[in-house]
Structure formats: structure tokens, C-alpha cells
Amino acid sequence: MADLVYQQVITDLNKRIMANEFIDKKLPDERSLSEQYHVSRSSIKRALNVLANQGLIFKKRGSGTFINPLYLKNQSSFKYEGTNLGITDSLNTEGAQPSIQLLDFQVIPASQELQQDLFLAPDEFVYEIKRLRLLDEQPFMIETGYIPIKLVPELNRQIVSGSIFSYVQKTLKAAVTKSFLSISADVSTATDQKLLTLKATEPVGVMGGIFFLDDGTPFEVSNMRLHYKYMKYTTFVSTEQ
Amino acid sequence: MADLVYQQVITDLNKRIMANEFIDKKLPDERSLSEQYHVSRSSIKRALNVLANQGLIFKKRGSGTFINPLYLKNQSSFKYEGTNLGITDSLNTEGAQPSIQLLDFQVIPASQELQQDLFLAPDEFVYEIKRLRLLDEQPFMIETGYIPIKLVPELNRQIVSGSIFSYVQKTLKAAVTKSFLSISADVSTATDQKLLTLKATEPVGVMGGIFFLDDGTPFEVSNMRLHYKYMKYTTFVSTEQ
DNA sequence: TTTTTTAAATGGACCGGTGCAATTCACGCA
DNA sequence: TGCGTGAATTGCACCGGTCCATTTAAAAAA
């Protein structure tokens, strides 16, 4: 992935953990790891912190560092798939073929709320992009996105029918790596039902997000309505910091 | 909160940011902050990293550190409330009066799935606790929790009618600080509709979680069905680490 | 004036260290 | 046998430094 020291340690520890090398569920102490890997203890700590934030290990002062047993026996319903922006560009498709159907594409003046969220002046314009996302022909998500035209002036129907994020990464050389995300549920509308092939009683999952570029520029406001069986957001939460 | 150096820096920077002290949305550089606060640059970096992970600031190498504008103008629909376990013990009640109604409380053998998730032997027992949570008399959540009896042998109806987590914190002196969390949506069942006063077409939000003690001991498996208007999970996500 | 080059500013990675706090464990005493 | 007590183990906070990559700005050249 990268040539950074602490990331190499992460990668290697991950391998060793998954290979069940630490039978007693206990990792070597930080000082030993520092010697084993020939890196400073700081770098070891950094690597371990990342793993702890992912819920893969637990650290206990005075006692040691231990592997989260639930990570090994992940035949359970819990399968944490690492950080993702909640966006389907980085979706774990698991063999299914993702596709996109463009519903609508136009340029409109930014509403007041969009002005705030995308940090725009009152007279600026945004693309409004409505898309239907499918997995193996099965529609699962209606996505309405708003992107300032000034950020990507040359957007067109063809680009928008593919992955916008990867297009941006190539042309602007700026990755979309951060987002505010809000997750809720809602009654399905007639449109939802038609597009997502839902029964009247079946709901949608709603994910709203503001996506940012590396440098903090708000890039897109997105509203996603998902077939309720396809929305499953999993995460590891820690109140410590 | 604590007497830790980097946390003091976080607290103070937070204040200064909210007080709009940095009019140009730019923070002093790390080396200056290090001098101002009379702490090492490492500690400054640590503090800034926390703030960056919360989405409050963005760092740009070679350029500086900038405040996320959306944090100041938070009159928008986005109001990020910091890390929480998704549990209502730490709920932002905002004036509303939370209460609990105990629906059911018994001891049962751990199912196979519970054995895995709570790391139990086949012959161990768990409490099954069904509770209805309300805000100002309005029921909003049906919660079914499973806790190994060996962890809290002296649990009773009275304790369970209040906050289990704060009871644990007092008696075991071990806080519940981490959780796997899974968020989805579902059609409401007849029971949901009755208890949460939902119409037949209205859905529930579903939050499933495994909660851990500080030391990594799986403490509780919880399944929560929420009135869909009360489920709103917000978070800041970054793919970098 | 415009372009190119150079230097300064600024965050990132990493090191190797000090002292401390929580836990564990062995040893000695009762 | 059981219970302290103290030493060893282990992670935590923090320091202050080196060198580097990226960005911006100033200086020099065209």
C-alpha cells in the first residue's frame, strides 16, 4: 500500500493476526515489537493505535495488547469492513456487478441550504445529478447529488454515468476522503417504490452526506435512498480519544 | 475533563474556534502553537489530529491548518455531536425527559450466536432484558439486551430499570467505551407498531451492537428497534489513517 | 511583464529517550 | 495455606529533536 513504516507494521500485524500466529490472543509487548521490526517504539504505538481504533485489538495498560476474539471468528453476523465513506464507489460488491442508470442531470442555482453546506455565494450554480444504482440488475439506491460547477466545470452526462469520484481523482488530483454522514430511515414514497421495486409497506434507508476533498473543500452534497435490505452500515465506535 | 496536556490543548482550541477567534479560518502553525501553549510539537500534533478526526479542522501540508466552515455555521441540518456509542445512556436528550419501562427480564441459556459474540462456553447463561425507552412519555425504542450473568451476577429488576452502564461503571469500575455497531432499517412488526405507536406503513430503524468493556471483554449484545423518526446517526468519516 | 528559480513556511514521518501508572507475579511472612 | 509487599512487566504521556514533502512566496532571469 505505502512505504510508510507504521503502515507496513499494520499490514504485517494484520497478516499475523489473521494467520492466528498469536495463539494466546496476546501480542508481544511494544518494546519487543520495536526490536522485531527494527523501528522505534513510537511507530509501533502508532500502528497499534490504528488497529485499536479499528476494534481489532484492545490495549490494557500493565497487562498487554490483546486480539479482539470477534475478529477471528467472523463467521458471525458481524463483519467489519473497515472505514468507508458510506459511498458505493468503494462498495464491497462481493462479486455482484454494480451499474449506474442516469435519471436526471442538469444545472440549477444553489439553494440556500446548498450554499451553506457547499460554502457557495448566492449566485453560484450546482449540478443536480439523479442516479439509480444497481447491483446485478437489481436497483438498490436512488442518489441525488449536488456538486458546484466551479469545481468540475466540464462535467457531462457520460462522466456522470460512471464514478464521479474516480474522475475527480484523475483530473483534479484531489481525492474525496472525508464526509459527514447522517443515517436514518423513512417511509418509501411512490417513486421509491417504483424505482427500487418496493412494496408499499417497505421502507427506505436514508443516508445524507457532505463529501470533502483532501483539503477540506466541500465537494458534494448527496442524498441517498436505499432499498432497506441493502442498507447496512457497520462501524466500530470508541468514546475514548 | 482531564489534566492531560493534549486534551487541554483540544479544549482550549475548541473554545477559540467556537469564539471565532481565527477570522481567516486558519490556525497558527504547529510550531507557533507549540510555543504559545508551552508544550512540545508532538502534543500539538496529537491535539490537532483529534480535531481533524472529528472533522473540525483540515490540515494541508505546506499550507496550514484550517477550520471546517460547516462547523461554525451549524444552523444547517448537519450538527455533529461528537462520538457516541449509539446508546441512549449518553443520549442528547435536549430537555426531553428519558425514561425506561421494563418489558421482560429473565435468565436464559446463551444461544450459539450469543456464545460467539459474547465469547461464552456452551453451558453459560445470559440475562435477557427487554426494555421500552421513552422520551417525554413518547416511546421511541425497543431494546433487547443480552448480558452474561457471570459479569454481573447480582443484576435485578430494579437495576435493569435504570442505566445498566452506569451501574456497571460504579460496581465493576469498568466503563463501556467501545462497540461494534450495525445500522439498518426494517419493516415494522405488529409489536413494533403497538409499542412505538407506529402506523402499519411506518418502518423502524434497527441498531445492533456488541458493547465492550475497557479491556475488550464483550459485555452486551443489544438489538434496538427505533421509531424511524428518532433514529438519526451522524458521524464524520475519514478514509485516511 | 512574464516566467523560472530559489527560498521560506508548514505539516508529515520517525526516532529515541524520560518518567509514570496500572497490572501481574513471585517471594516472604503470618 | 493465605495474604501482603515489592519488583518486574507493560502501556501512556510527553519531550525535543532530525529530515523530508508540499505549498507558497519572494527573488531572479528572460
Side-chain angles (χ1 to χ4, degrees):
Chain A
M1 187 66 103
D3 53 348
L4 299 185
V5 169
Y6 76 95
Q7 288 194 346
Q8 289 178 345
V9 174
I10 291 174
T11 305
D12 191 68
L13 279 179
N14 233 313
K15 256 188 236 156
R16 293 171 71 183
I17 290 174
M18 292 313 175
N20 213 3
E21 181 175 327
F22 308 106
I23 38 165
D24 54 352
K25 306 271 178 258
K26 184 175 181 179
L27 263 61
D29 67 283
E30 297 180 348
R31 290 162 178 90
S32 306
L33 286 173
S34 173
E35 285 184 20
Q36 281 182 36
Y37 285 104
H38 301 292
V39 301
S40 77
R41 199 178 150 208
S42 320
S43 295
I44 295 294
K45 285 190 85 66
R46 184 163 184 178
L48 292 180
N49 275 329
V50 173
L51 293 175
N53 282 332
Q54 294 176 346
L56 210 142
I57 59 175
F58 290 95
K59 295 186 288 183
K60 193 83 196 288
R61 158 146 51 160
S63 180
T65 303
F66 304 88
I67 297 168
N68 185 342
L70 294 183
Y71 246 89
L72 295 179
K73 38 177 58 189
N74 61 352
Q75 67 269 44
S76 92
S77 60
F78 265 95
K79 205 191 300 175
Y80 176 61
E81 284 140 14
T83 316
N84 68 70
L85 284 177
I87 196 65
T88 35
D89 276 20
S90 56
L91 189 70
N92 193 351
T93 50
E94 283 175 0
Q97 191 60 42
S99 59
I100 292 177
Q101 187 180 317
L102 186 58
L103 299 177
D104 193 20
F105 177 58
Q106 48 183 316
V107 175
I108 60 172
S111 71
Q112 197 163 10
E113 193 185 337
L114 285 176
Q115 286 168 32
Q116 285 184 356
D117 289 346
L118 292 174
F119 217 53
L120 300 176
D123 56 347
E124 292 192 89
F125 289 85
V126 295
Y127 299 106
E128 183 184 62
I129 307 157
K130 297 196 180 187
R131 308 193 289 183
L132 185 67
R133 286 179 182 263
L134 309 91
L135 275 180
D136 281 344
E137 319 287 294
Q138 166 64 36
F140 75 99
M141 177 178 181
I142 305 167
E143 182 192 19
T144 309
Y146 299 92
I147 301 177
I149 57 169
K150 67 175 176 187
L151 290 181
V152 272
E154 73 291 357
L155 218 53
N156 60 44
R157 293 184 72 91
Q158 198 215 322
I159 298 171
V160 152
S161 300
S163 167
I164 300 177
F165 284 1
S166 55
Y167 168 77
V168 169
Q169 189 145 21
K170 259 178 264 168
T171 55
L172 297 189
K173 279 197 288 188
V176 179
T177 54
K178 298 174 199 301
S179 70
F180 275 112
L181 213 56
S182 161
I183 303 169
S184 55
D186 198 2
V187 178
S188 60
T189 67
T191 311
D192 294 334
Q193 289 159 25
K194 200 174 71 180
L195 291 177
L196 300 175
T197 58
L198 286 164
K199 293 178 196 152
T201 56
E202 294 179 315
V204 290
V206 178
M207 298 180 52
I210 303 178
F211 297 88
F212 299 86
L213 301 179
D214 281 333
D215 62 0
T217 309
F219 172 76
E220 178 183 15
V221 167
S222 179
N223 191 283
M224 299 163 266
R225 298 179 73 84
L226 287 87
H227 188 296
Y228 76 107
K229 291 203 170 170
Y230 286 83
M231 183 177 86
K232 184 163 191 178
Y233 183 85
T234 64
T235 184
F236 182 78
V237 184
S238 168
T239 55
E240 291 161 340
Q241 51 176 331
Chain B
M1 189 58 110
D3 54 348
L4 300 185
V5 169
Y6 76 94
Q7 289 194 346
Q8 290 178 345
V9 174
I10 290 174
T11 305
D12 191 66
L13 279 179
N14 234 312
K15 258 188 235 157
R16 294 171 72 183
I17 290 173
M18 291 314 174
N20 213 4
E21 181 175 327
F22 309 106
I23 38 163
D24 54 351
K25 306 271 180 256
K26 183 174 183 182
L27 264 60
D29 68 282
E30 297 180 348
R31 290 162 177 90
S32 306
L33 286 173
S34 174
E35 285 183 19
Q36 280 181 36
Y37 285 104
H38 302 291
V39 302
S40 75
R41 193 176 157 212
S42 319
S43 296
I44 295 293
K45 285 188 89 66
R46 183 164 183 178
L48 292 180
N49 275 330
V50 172
L51 293 176
N53 282 333
Q54 294 176 347
L56 210 141
I57 60 174
F58 290 95
K59 295 185 286 183
K60 193 81 199 288
R61 159 146 49 162
S63 180
T65 304
F66 303 88
I67 297 168
N68 185 342
L70 294 183
Y71 245 89
L72 296 178
K73 36 177 58 189
N74 61 353
Q75 66 271 43
S76 92
S77 62
F78 264 95
K79 206 191 302 173
Y80 175 62
E81 284 138 14
T83 316
N84 68 69
L85 282 177
I87 197 66
T88 36
D89 277 20
S90 55
L91 189 69
N92 193 351
T93 50
E94 283 174 2
Q97 190 61 41
S99 59
I100 292 177
Q101 187 180 316
L102 186 58
L103 299 177
D104 192 21
F105 177 58
Q106 50 183 312
V107 175
I108 61 171
S111 70
Q112 198 163 9
E113 194 185 337
L114 284 176
Q115 286 168 32
Q116 286 184 355
D117 289 346
L118 293 174
F119 217 53
L120 299 176
D123 55 348
E124 291 192 90
F125 289 85
V126 294
Y127 297 106
E128 182 184 63
I129 306 159
K130 297 194 180 188
R131 307 193 289 183
L132 185 67
R133 287 179 182 263
L134 309 91
L135 275 180
D136 281 344
E137 319 288 291
Q138 166 64 35
F140 74 99
M141 176 177 179
I142 305 167
E143 183 192 18
T144 308
Y146 299 91
I147 302 177
I149 57 170
K150 67 175 175 186
L151 291 182
V152 274
E154 73 291 356
L155 218 52
N156 60 44
R157 292 185 73 90
Q158 198 215 321
I159 298 171
V160 152
S161 300
S163 166
I164 300 177
F165 284 1
S166 54
Y167 168 77
V168 168
Q169 188 146 20
K170 260 179 264 170
T171 55
L172 296 189
K173 282 196 289 187
V176 180
T177 54
K178 298 174 199 302
S179 70
F180 276 112
L181 212 56
S182 159
I183 302 169
S184 56
D186 199 3
V187 177
S188 60
T189 67
T191 310
D192 295 333
Q193 289 159 25
K194 200 173 71 179
L195 291 176
L196 300 176
T197 60
L198 286 164
K199 292 178 196 152
T201 56
E202 294 179 313
V204 290
V206 178
M207 298 179 52
I210 303 178
F211 297 90
F212 300 86
L213 300 179
D214 280 334
D215 62 0
T217 311
F219 172 75
E220 178 184 14
V221 167
S222 179
N223 192 283
M224 299 163 267
R225 296 179 74 85
L226 288 88
H227 189 297
Y228 76 108
K229 292 203 170 172
Y230 286 84
M231 183 177 86
K232 184 163 189 176
Y233 183 85
T234 64
T235 185
F236 182 78
V237 185
S238 168
T239 55
E240 291 162 341
Q241 52 176 348

